Structure formats: structure tokens, C-alpha cells
Amino acid sequence: MKFDVKTLETDALVIGGGTAGCFSALTIAEHSSLKVLIADKGHIKRSGCLAAGVNALNAYIGKGETPESFVEYVKRDSENVIREDLVYSIAKGLNDAAEKLEQLGLPFLKDESGSYVQRGKRSIKINGENIKPILAEALRKHENVSVLNYVNITEYLKKDGTVIGAAGFSLRENVFYIIYAKKVICATGGASGIYKPNNPTFSRHKMWYSPFNTGAGYAMGIRAGAEMTSFEMRFIALRCKDTIAPTGTIAQGIKAEQVNAKGEEYVSKYGKPTTYMRLYATVMENLKGNGPCFLKTEGISEETEKELFKAYLNMAPAQTLKWIERNIGPSKENVEIEGTEPYIVGGHTASGYWIDADRKTTLKNLYAVGDAAGGSPKKYVTGCLVEGEIAALSIIHETDDSKVSKLDSNEEKHLIQHVLHFFDNTDIKYSPPEIEQAMQKVMDEYAGGITTGYMYNKTKLKMAAVRIDELLKIAEDTKVHSLDDLLNLHETIDRLHVAKVLIQHLEARKETRWKCYQENCDYPNKDDENWLKYVNSVYKDGRVQIILRDLVGRDSRYEHTN
Amino acid sequence: MSIQIDKNKCIACQKCSNICPGNLIRIDQDQKAFIKCPQDCWGCTACLKECPSGAIKYFLGADIGGRGGSLFTQDHPNHIDWHFITKDSKNHKIQTKKDESNKY
Ligand SMILES: Cc1cc2nc3c(=O)[nH]c(=O)nc-3n(C[C@H](O)[C@H](O)[C@H](O)COP(=O)(O)OP(=O)(O)OC[C@H]3O[C@@H](n4cnc5c(N)ncnc54)[C@H](O)[C@@H]3O)c2cc1C
Ligand code: SF4
Ligand code: SF4
């Protein structure tokens, strides 16, 4: 297959034009004349997590709360292992980010005094169906921003340990892109599809997290030797059964409690109702034979039901379709709930790039923001915006008019061959989707998927690690025939690299406190001394090296030193 | 869950193909849209809202409780009409206003 090579140059390259990436680009455009290029594998008008819309802004400092109390809440909910400094810097910017969204045109619910109406202590009500089109439109007005839609980025360009851009290929035509940049922002979101999903057959992509966020940004960083943090703190969502639609709308919105098959409220039997405890309690009730579990909605008014229909249309239309086509709405029948397969998502838990206060990664000139960046759980949409802004301001501050470094022509050739060599392979035994499903099966069975109630032990993890390495070898030798195949295979390899690192993180944290997210059954006891550490890793010479780091306090300004 | 595109209704504008976050919708020789791999659809409805002719229908797969019903949308400047067609042909419409926030 022949490819044209296009070489581009920009000041800032944003990889992934989702929530965080678009906001980084917008901030740079509004506050400087730097040239910004966004490359996205979809079209930024609807790409990423928020293609269908967003339900509520779930990170906000509500009445009576402060940035300090927000940090305390995230700390409590995550059993103390968070980057307090990062969470604090986000907390301080949340409300401005919400206001900015309103200025851009997002509708907010307001009370008589003009204040935003809260859905809980830290959440506000909006109509978020149009959030991505609004962000994309805001960018269109800036001449210094250009966008490459449907271009999949696969590798960073590196010179003397510094990131000098990234490379990828068009999903629409045979064009290979080499993009040189003074600063690069990784905003590719998190990773879905590592584990066997709830609906593994026809509706295999009816999952919570975007199936098109395949962990590419993590994988590129892993391969380039960037330090990663807290992959073992997986995120598992508690969702409406089958449609995998959010439960917060019902649980928080109309305060529906979780009940088991006998109609008993069950979460309080297990402990404080933290995010993971509500999930864990549901898993345990099912294991004990008390399932299925439900959100108790029976008896709500018809008017409330109608509003729920609309609220779900604005972010998870499958749920409304399900109610309507069965002609039984939530007022007549409780809503069944289940846990999803595990995801790696830095916007919900703490997994991702290890970053400093400016959101710089450990690779020079590379930043990470949003779901790609680690350390600060519960960022959600507004937190991702704040993080995008922090990185953007640092880039504006640090970019001078020096020249962009380049690879020499041999290095460029080698890179193109590295990304495209799959066309020249001969092995056709397994297709990329088959390799992906094999990975999902092994992760499900041996690395704590749905099948085992999310639990695992050392022996299982070892077996998973061996199989993931085998699958990586198979993938490397597999032949592709088309651009679709090429994308699928790169996505599979990226997911395999994420899985490889994840397994080592799961092994390294010898505890069970983050129920479901991280339950290493060889170590059922609490071990505070080792618990209060970050599990980080660097991939080097084919091996994942684990680094344990001390916790960083709220008021420190963290810089990479070693 | 996935989508189906009605070729007879498709006016070949290609808008759906230029919006799908997963690059799943392609154009055939008649310039009409089709979904390359229905199992890969996330069900985000971005393509439905983009389609000017109501040619794209959204349905729940049998594996997630689908009963043969479907959903299509008509996008208007200030609101979206969501049309539900159930198996027993009891049609149902819900309107969501773009400037109105969710109550929950
Ligand atoms: C279904 C769902 C519902 C949610 N609802 C809410 C809510 O109601 N309230 C709330 O506050 N938060 C919500 N969240 C969380 C919030 O949406 C995310 O934390 C946030 O959008 C993440 O932003 P991001 O920019 O990191 O990722 P995304 O917005 O997903 O952007 C990542 C981008 O990178 C692109 N990309 C990926 N790989 C590549 C590659 N290799 N090359 C080029 N581009 C690439 C993708 O196409 C995408 O555009 C929800 C999340 C999900 C998944
Ligand atoms: S519903 Fe979303 S994922 Fe499915 S084809 Fe349409 S745009 Fe693509
Ligand atoms: S948006 Fe509708 S009319 Fe336009 S190409 Fe797609 S299916 Fe056809």
C-alpha cells in the first residue's frame, strides 16, 4: 500500500480534540498568537466521551463547599491516595470553567436569584446534549487553530529524550502525517475495551466509556518511556443494566435508593456509601444470591418519569428507547443496575500520566490533560477543562520563537516503516478483532474482570501477563489489508500495552481497600504503610519497572526531579 | 444496539459520515451512506441528529433487550424531536428543547 507523507509544523500540537483537548486549544488561541493544531481520530464536533452529550457538571464547588472541602471529599472517596496538589488546583478553577461553558452557550438551570441549581453538593444541572458542538464552534472562530479530523495518532516523535511532535495516519485516505511541534498535549482520553464488556456479542460497543478511546495516549507514553501512575485504580461504573446508561440521574436526581431482589436497601450493610462501595455492595449482593439489584423508582410521578425520559435522551438515548419500546417506564418498574467492565480513566479515578503542577509529563515538552492524566480522581468535565487550561497557560508561558527540532530523513523513514509495516506482514491466522477479544477474555478471567467479581491474585496475574505478551507478539506479526485493519490493529496493540502495564500495577499494590477497583486477594488485610504510596511505572527495554512514590500534599508545587 | 440507514430516504449529503466519532459510516457508489460494521456502533446518536432526512434509525440489539422498535430524530434550531416507532406501531414523540436544562 502506498502512502503520501505530509509533514506539518505547529507551535502546539493537541492530540485528541475531546473535552480537555478542545479547551486547551481554545485557551491557547484566546490568550496568544501561537499556532495550534488539533488531531483527532473522529470529528471534533462529536468526538470523545461526550458524543451523546453530558448529563450534569459533576465537579463544582456548590453552596457551603470550598476548594479545600472538595479536596477532602476526593481524598475520603479515594482512601487518601490522590495527588492532593493536583486536585486542589482543579478545585480552584471548577466554577470559572462552568461559567465559561455558560458564556460559550451551554444552557444551565438557574433559580430565581440567578444561581445555578445544584443536583448535589458538587454537581449542577445543565442541558449538555450540545457540549461538543459548542466547543468545536468556539474553536472555529480562531484563525490560529487548525484541525485534522479523522487522523489517528500512533507515536510521539522524540529527539534526545524530548518530544518534538507526533505521527499518525488518516483514516480516510492513504496519507501519513508527521507533525512537528514545540509543545505537545496528550488529550486522548482513557482506555476502554481492555476487559470483556457487559454485552460481548452484537452490542459489544454498548459500553459506558467511549469504545473509540482505546488508550492510545497512554500506550504512546508507555512506549516512549513516560512515567505512569495508579493504573491499578481502575474505574468500574455502576450502570443501568444492558443500556449501560448512567445511574446518577436517578440516584442523585430523584434520590432513588439501591434495593436488592427482596426490596431491601443494602448499601449501608457494607459501609460508607462511597462511589466504589455502592458498586461493591451490588456485586456482593449478587454473589450472595440477593440479586438482581435495582434503583427503586416504582411509584415516582408521571411527570418525573417524563423528565427522566428527556434527561436520558440528552445523554444516553438507549435507556429512553428501552422504556418506551417496552411500554414500562421507571414509575412502574424499578431500574436494574450492574457494574461495568473495568476501564482506565484518569478523569474518574487516578490512573494516567504522572504529571507535575503544570501538567507536564516526565517527557520533556509533553503535557497530559483530562482522562489521560493521572493523580486526580473526580475531574469530570469541568475538571478536564481546568486541566486543559493549566497546560495551555504553561505552554503560552514557555514557548519561544526558537526553531522546531526535526528528525533526519532516515529517522522519518524508519518511523513510517514502523507504523505501516503491518501491510508487509504475512501472518493472517488471526484478525485484529480476534486478538482484541482474546485479550478481553484473558483480562476478564485472570486480571479481575466481571466474571470473577473483579477479584484476582498473584497467580492469576502471572498467567494474564504471559498471555498478554504472547498476544503482543501475535499482533506485531499480523498482516493488515486496509486502513480499517491498520487502525484496529494499532488500537489492539495500544490496549495490549495498557494491559501489560496494568497487570504489573495490580500486582504491585498489595491491598484490597479500593473494593472492586483493586482487590488483590492475596492481601486481604489493611497495610497503611504501603497503602499510602503511589504505584508508578516506567516501561524500559521491554519491562515494566515499578516505582513507589511518597504522597504529595495539597499545598506543594510538584516538579519532576528524579 | 446500533443504527440502520434507509437508502431510499438517504439524500446522499454525507453529513452522518462526517460526524461519527468512530468513523463507522461510509459512502457507497451511489453516494448513499451505510454503516460498515453495525457491531462497532456506540449508540451516541450523533449521526441521527445530523441527518436531514430521518434516514437513520437507532435500535437496541436483541442481546440488550431490544423488541424490534426504533428511534429517529429531527433536528430543529431550538429543539430536537425524537420519534419512537414500536413493534406494534404505537408511535411516540418526545421533544427536548435545546435551551432547557435537565431537571434531574
Ligand atoms: C458516557 C460518559 C458520560 C459522562 N457523563 C458525565 C457527566 O454527566 N458529567 C461529567 O461531569 N462528566 C461526565 N463524564 C466524564 C467526562 O465526560 C470525561 O471525564 C471528559 O469528557 C474527558 O475528557 P477528555 O478530553 O480527557 O477525553 P475525551 O473527551 O474523550 O477526548 C478524547 C479525544 O481523543 C481522541 N483520540 C483518542 N485516541 C486518539 C488517537 N490515537 N489519535 C487522535 N485522536 C484520538 C478521541 O477521538 C477524543 O476526541 C462522562 C463520561 C462518559 C464516558
Ligand atoms: S450512533 Fe454514533 S457511533 Fe453509532 S454510527 Fe451513529 S455516530 Fe457512529
Ligand atoms: S445524513 Fe442522512 S441523508 Fe445524509 S448521507 Fe447520512 S443517511 Fe444520507
Side-chain angles (χ1 to χ4, degrees):
Chain A
M1 186 98 65
K2 267 198 94 58
F3 277 74
D4 287 337
V5 178
K6 281 195 183 155
T7 308
L8 306 173
E9 250 186 73
T10 181
D11 292 317
L13 168 64
V14 179
I15 309 175
T19 312
C22 282
F23 207 69
S24 290
L26 188 64
T27 309
I28 297 175
E30 283 181 344
H31 294 97
S32 78
S33 53
L34 293 176
K35 276 199 316 186
V36 187
L37 176 67
I38 302 177
D40 198 290
K41 68 191 285 196
H43 188 294
I44 65 161
K45 188 174 170 192
R46 288 283 182 185
S47 62
C49 286
L50 296 183
V54 55
N55 175 227
L57 298 182
N58 287 336
Y60 186 79
I61 310 297
K63 286 200 185 84
E65 299 291 314
T66 59
E68 293 75 23
S69 70
F70 186 86
V71 176
E72 284 310 307
Y73 156 69
V74 179
K75 209 172 138 181
R76 236 182 5 255
D77 208 78
S78 313
E79 302 284 356
N80 298 319
V81 189
I82 59 165
R83 279 281 300 274
E84 286 184 50
D85 59 323
L86 298 178
V87 178
Y88 195 35
S89 64
I90 286 175
K92 287 189 267 190
L94 289 173
N95 292 17
D96 286 346
E99 265 174 44
K100 178 77 185 183
L101 281 178
E102 190 182 10
Q103 282 162 22
L104 293 177
L106 199 78
F108 283 66
L109 192 65
K110 290 189 172 174
D111 61 18
E112 305 82 53
S113 68
S115 314
Y116 297 149
V117 175
Q118 289 180 218
R119 196 176 81 166
K121 284 185 186 169
R122 289 164 288 266
S123 176
I124 48 176
K125 297 182 185 181
I126 51 158
N127 178 342
E129 189 280 322
N130 225 10
I131 189 166
K132 278 304 313 274
I134 286 172
L135 284 171
E137 182 56 29
L139 285 168
R140 230 166 46 91
K141 297 184 184 134
H142 291 279
E143 276 177 8
N144 49 340
V145 178
S146 42
V147 181
L148 285 176
N149 289 311
Y150 295 114
V151 169
N152 184 66
I153 300 296
T154 51
E155 230 61 69
Y156 294 127
L157 309 177
K158 257 176 80 181
K159 189 138 195 140
D160 307 324
T162 299
V163 172
I164 55 165
F169 53 91
S170 163
L171 301 180
R172 296 292 176 91
E173 50 189 1
N174 290 358
V175 175
F176 189 89
Y177 285 94
I178 299 179
I179 308 166
Y180 290 107
K182 291 179 189 166
K183 305 282 177 195
V184 177
I185 300 183
C186 176
T188 50
S192 66
I194 311 277
Y195 285 84
K196 188 163 101 185
N198 292 91
N199 308 306
T201 55
F202 180 78
S203 304
R204 66 188 187 201
H205 275 180
K206 184 68 255 175
M207 48 178 62
W208 167 69
Y209 204 65
S210 165
F212 316 121
N213 282 357
T214 56
Y218 299 145
M220 289 191 286
I222 290 166
R223 292 191 289 265
E227 186 167 333
M228 296 287 158
T229 188
S230 309
F231 271 35
E232 76 284 5
M233 192 188 190
R234 307 173 299 172
F235 181 67
I236 299 158
L238 186 63
R239 284 295 177 270
C240 299
K241 178 136 192 324
D242 296 337
T243 59
I244 317 295
T247 47
T249 315
I250 302 176
Q252 277 191 302
I254 62 166
K255 309 250 179 312
E257 57 182 10
Q258 289 174 225
V259 294
N260 62 19
K262 299 174 193 156
E264 301 162 346
E265 186 288 316
Y266 59 84
V267 181
S268 56
K269 284 197 287 192
Y270 296 87
K272 293 175 291 176
T274 52
T275 311
Y276 66 78
M277 198 49 95
R278 291 195 295 266
L279 165 74
Y280 175 69
T282 307
V283 173
M284 293 313 286
E285 285 296 287
N286 274 297
L287 286 177
K288 287 182 189 165
N290 293 337
C293 295
F294 303 92
L295 284 169
K296 192 175 172 187
T297 54
E298 268 173 32
I300 59 170
S301 70
E302 249 178 54
E303 202 193 326
T304 305
E305 177 170 282
K306 274 195 186 140
E307 289 301 331
L308 284 179
F309 285 171
K310 285 195 208 165
Y312 276 96
L313 285 177
N314 285 333
M315 44 88 189
Q319 186 62 33
T320 309
L321 176 57
K322 184 172 177 185
W323 280 321
I324 288 189
E325 79 165 324
R326 298 180 64 228
N327 202 19
I328 305 176
S331 65
K332 298 205 192 68
E333 194 177 86
N334 290 337
V335 176
E336 191 180 341
I337 51 178
E338 66 181 339
T340 64
E341 75 278 16
Y343 308 98
I344 305 298
V345 185
H348 273 66
T349 58
S351 338
Y353 279 87
W354 179 246
I355 49 175
D356 74 0
D358 289 332
R359 274 54 183 175
K360 288 176 188 148
T361 70
T362 53
L363 299 179
K364 192 157 179 248
N365 288 344
L366 178 69
Y367 292 72
V369 293
D371 286 359
S376 43
K378 299 192 178 286
K379 267 179 234 176
Y380 306 124
V381 168
T382 29
C384 289
L385 299 180
V386 179
E387 204 155 52
E389 186 179 25
I390 293 172
L393 294 176
S394 164
I395 286 176
I396 294 172
H397 183 68
E398 292 193 10
T399 309
D400 52 27
D401 27 290
S402 61
K403 277 200 151 170
V404 186
S405 323
K406 301 249 169 100
L407 300 178
D408 65 37
S409 62
N410 259 341
E411 288 168 323
E412 282 190 355
K413 260 195 210 137
H414 186 256
L415 171 80
I416 298 169
Q417 173 62 14
H418 172 72
V419 175
L420 300 179
H421 81 269
F422 302 99
F423 285 105
D424 306 326
N425 283 348
T426 50
D427 208 333
I428 50 165
K429 263 195 259 18
Y430 308 108
S431 68
E434 281 172 80
I435 304 171
E436 183 182 296
Q437 281 165 18
M439 165 191 65
Q440 293 179 344
K441 182 170 187 288
V442 73
M443 293 302 285
D444 180 58
E445 292 169 349
Y446 296 111
I450 297 171
T451 302
T452 60
Y454 309 114
M455 290 174 271
Y456 52 86
N457 59 29
K458 197 174 174 177
T459 313
K460 284 193 173 204
L461 292 176
K462 260 205 178 129
M463 290 159 78
V466 170
R467 185 64 183 146
I468 293 298
D469 279 343
E470 285 170 8
L471 290 171
L472 265 168
K473 280 209 188 79
I474 290 174
E476 271 302 321
D477 292 340
T478 293
K479 181 174 178 64
V480 301
H481 303 272
S482 63
L483 285 176
D484 287 332
D485 279 358
L486 183 68
L487 174 67
N488 281 170
L489 193 57
H490 274 286
E491 290 176 337
T492 303
I493 292 174
D494 288 344
R495 284 175 162 137
L496 284 164
H497 279 132
V498 173
K500 187 177 165 84
V501 171
L502 169 60
I503 291 168
Q504 297 312 320
H505 277 247
L506 290 171
E507 222 265 276
R509 193 174 279 287
K510 302 183 187 332
E511 257 264 14
T512 51
R513 220 173 298 191
W514 284 325
K515 296 283 176 218
C516 301
Y517 294 2
Q518 186 275 329
E519 266 190 275
N520 191 338
C521 294
D522 289 330
Y523 303 93
N525 298 327
K526 285 197 174 174
D527 168 15
D528 268 332
E529 197 181 319
N530 292 311
W531 175 258
L532 295 171
K533 293 255 191 303
Y534 305 111
V535 174
N536 288 6
S537 65
V538 171
Y539 182 65
K540 212 174 159 192
D541 307 324
R543 290 187 45 140
V544 182
Q545 297 176 359
I546 294 289
I547 305 160
L548 297 181
R549 287 193 183 272
D550 292 335
L551 298 191
V552 180
R554 193 187 76 188
D555 299 313
S556 6
R557 200 189 142 76
Y558 185 83
E559 283 175 35
H560 298 303
T561 45
N562 58 349
Chain B
M1 156 247 48
S2 187
I3 58 147
Q4 273 173 343
I5 302 179
D6 182 343
K7 282 216 164 146
N8 296 320
K9 283 195 179 159
C10 173
I11 57 164
C13 71
Q14 310 200 355
K15 282 186 167 178
C16 54
S17 151
N18 286 323
I19 194 80
C20 174
N23 188 35
L24 305 178
I25 304 181
R26 309 301 165 83
I27 303 301
D28 70 10
Q29 281 165 343
D30 308 332
Q31 302 303 305
K32 305 268 176 126
F34 69 100
I35 176 155
K36 173 138 189 299
C37 181
Q39 293 99 305
D40 283 348
C41 172
W42 187 26
C44 71
T45 62
C47 55
L48 277 78
K49 292 172 201 159
E50 222 43 38
C51 179
S53 63
I56 310 185
K57 288 202 174 61
Y58 178 90
F59 66 97
L60 301 180
D63 59 338
I64 57 169
R67 291 192 167 189
S70 61
L71 164 67
F72 72 94
T73 60
Q74 278 173 319
D75 193 35
H76 300 280
N78 301 317
H79 68 270
I80 301 174
D81 284 329
W82 305 77
H83 297 271
F84 298 84
I85 307 154
T86 55
K87 195 79 173 50
D88 51 11
S89 299
K90 273 203 195 125
N91 294 349
H92 195 101
K93 185 178 98 176
I94 298 181
Q95 196 174 84
T96 51
K97 297 216 167 64
K98 291 188 183 170
D99 62 354
E100 198 175 277
S101 155
N102 295 336
K103 300 280 181 302
Y104 300 108

